[in-house]
Amino acid sequence: MDEIVALAKRRGFIFQSSEIYGGIAGFWDYGPLGAVLKRNVKNAWWRDTVELRDDVVAFDSSIVMHPSGWEASGHVAAFHDVMVDCKTCKHRFRYDHLEDRTHCPDCGSSRSFTEPRNFNLMLKTAIGPMEDTSALAYLRPETAQGIFVNFKNLYHTARTRPPFGIAQIGKSFRNEITPGNFTYRSREFEQAELEYFVPDDGKDMEAFAAWVERRKAWYAAYGIRSERLRFYELRPEERPHYAKAGVDVEYAFPWGWGELESIAHRGTYDLEAHMRLSGKDLRFFDEATKKHETPLLIESSAGVDRTALTFLVDAYERERSVDPNGKQTERIVLRFHPSIAPVQAAVFSLARNKPELVERATAIEQGLRPHLRTQYDEGNIGQLYRRQDEVGTPFCVTVDYETLDDATVTVRERDSMRQERVAADGLQRYLEERT
Ligand code: GAP
């Protein structure tokens, strides 16, 4: 993990937020490559969950909602972790994370913990010029509630009725007691959430199973190693009382299994909670029963940052091999799927100081740019390959002296390191077919 964190910083994927001021725990900034990686993850999710479905609509709600929404949802009363403080070193711990509850893991003091107490995870803010309690508001700890409170608006304007889904991607905030494991547990993060509403017609478990399968297929399509991914079916005692089924998608991180996504059958719980407190009717007219009914809810809630981290961890490899001269070599390579890779094709000029080569290579790169995510570079070819391997670029294209004679370029594939001469005028098609 330390190697991956170092690579992420060195190559511009992820930086500690506010680093020049010593950092701020639980907050992260995405550099030039990380920002593209994260966008690619979101695009891949959006494509499969919204664009390819004729029964899912897009949505984007505000981060700050009316505080009553969080009362109705149960977050004000119950969205907390249990914490303890060490009275000696003053460090705070999540009670359920402590392996040994008699000694402080930081300073080693024995029996120094305070009594366990609840700590609400919602970040608070104040709205307007008066910082009294009437102005209290929360930064949303999940995007889902924005969908529930808008259910009526969305149901009417989407011109559809259950079964149909509403999807959104956006920032969420949780005042985690112990942020950690790089971006895995952050205080500010993004979620990609799908809320799929179905009528209570006996086919709800089918809909639940279909979403689990769709999400399985998504992770497989983008090449996440199947042996590091599991779909853990929650037992009844592990689920909230109102949930009829639950599957956690988990990845084998270097520190152990960690949750990427939770898929849950939440019944009528959320809409009924908002109907009770708001007094507004959030039911739909069911043509089958000729009655107003509360739909059942299937939710798939994925963490964007955790998924981006998963792609990074899963792609990372320190590969040792023997070169043609019998010498041991080592390279670091990120084996990103071409849709996820921040750069899809890098174009090099073999020499920096040869204007004909530089001109030709930049023209090729500019020609590819509308079709692929490209980057131009020049210099020592070994170093250029090493850099692109480390950022996971699937193809490198080199313009050399031969190019000037016969209009061909060398294309080098990241994983096999195989090189092939390709006609420059067929290059775009060649790369598009392979990315
Ligand atoms: N609406 C349901 C919901 O929010 P959740 O299991 O609490 O469910 C869903 O969160 C996903 O959001 C998690 O599986 C995880 O990927 C992401 N997530 C939750 N807390 C996070 C944190 N502190 N840092 C990064 N991602 C987090």
Side-chain angles (χ1 to χ4, degrees), residues 41-42 45 184 189-193 215 218-219 259-262 300-310:
V41 170
K42 289 190 274 189
W45 185 90
Y184 179 82
F189 53 95
E190 269 182 282
Q191 290 183 311
E193 299 203 282
R215 295 300 298 145
W218 186 87
Y219 289 99
E259 179 195 308
L260 302 183
E261 169 173 355
S262 76
S300 143
S301 174
V304 175
D305 306 77
R306 282 189 189 176
T307 309
L309 179 63
T310 300

Side-chain angles (χ1 to χ4, degrees), residues 27-251:
F27 298 89
W28 298 93
D29 296 337
Y30 287 76
L33 293 174
V36 181
L37 170 68
K38 194 164 149 184
R39 180 163 296 274
N40 294 344
V41 170
K42 289 190 274 189
N43 287 349
W45 185 90
W46 192 258
R47 179 97 190 117
D48 195 58
T49 310
V50 185
E51 290 176 359
L52 293 178
R53 302 280 306 205
D54 59 8
D55 58 348
V56 176
V57 296
F59 187 54
D60 192 320
S61 63
S62 64
I63 286 173
V64 174
M65 303 196 331
H66 194 290
S68 296
W70 302 110
E71 257 167 59
S73 68
H75 283 83
V76 171
F79 190 58
H80 47 60
D81 280 335
V82 180
M83 64 170 186
V84 290
D85 292 312
C86 169
K87 285 184 263 187
T88 312
C89 72
K90 312 287 181 220
H91 280 177
R92 181 161 285 181
F93 302 94
R94 240 174 86 168
Y95 194 57
D96 61 333
H97 283 181
L98 286 176
E99 272 169 27
D100 177 348
R101 289 171 178 168
T102 54
H103 295 275
C104 172
D106 275 9
C107 70
S109 301
S110 115
R111 297 180 204 291
S112 61
F113 289 131
T114 57
E115 283 299 307
R117 57 195 194 281
N118 289 337
F119 177 75
N120 194 291
L121 296 180
M122 282 198 292
L123 275 167
K124 295 186 189 77
T125 188
I127 305 295
M130 310 285 275
E131 281 198 30
D132 60 14
T133 48
S134 64
L136 171 72
Y138 303 99
L139 303 187
R140 66 182 175 198
E142 60 173 18
T143 70
Q145 298 300 328
I147 292 177
F148 305 145
V149 301
N150 273 283
F151 180 73
K152 194 151 197 138
N153 285 332
L154 288 159
Y155 157 55
H156 282 305
T157 52
R159 293 167 46 240
T160 184
R161 51 171 52 93
F164 83 103
I166 303 165
Q168 80 168 319
I169 297 178
K171 291 268 189 178
S172 293
F173 302 80
R174 295 183 189 179
N175 198 6
E176 297 284 356
I177 296 170
T178 44
N181 285 329
F182 202 19
T183 58
Y184 179 82
R185 182 166 289 103
S186 308
R187 289 176 168 144
E188 173 177 340
F189 53 95
E190 269 182 282
Q191 290 183 311
E193 299 203 282
L194 165 81
E195 310 299 328
Y196 196 77
F197 299 93
V198 297
D200 192 358
D201 60 0
K203 295 199 214 127
D204 50 315
M205 284 308 290
E206 259 170 60
F208 176 79
W211 276 106
V212 172
E213 286 310 308
R214 194 167 179 100
R215 295 300 298 145
K216 269 188 191 165
W218 186 87
Y219 289 99
Y222 290 99
I224 297 295
R225 299 176 215 215
S226 58
E227 70 277 15
R228 293 194 191 166
L229 197 66
R230 72 180 182 197
F231 287 71
Y232 176 76
E233 210 168 301
L234 298 178
R235 293 190 296 267
E237 66 273 21
E238 294 172 314
R239 307 193 295 252
H241 63 91
Y242 49 79
K244 200 164 151 188
V247 167
D248 281 352
V249 184
E250 297 181 338
Y251 183 77

Side-chain angles (χ1 to χ4, degrees), residues 140 169 242 271 296 317 337 352 390 403 413:
R140 66 182 175 198
I169 297 178
Y242 49 79
L271 289 181
L296 306 177
E317 203 167 307
H337 184 282
R352 205 171 254 150
E390 276 203 17
T403 312
E413 198 269 332

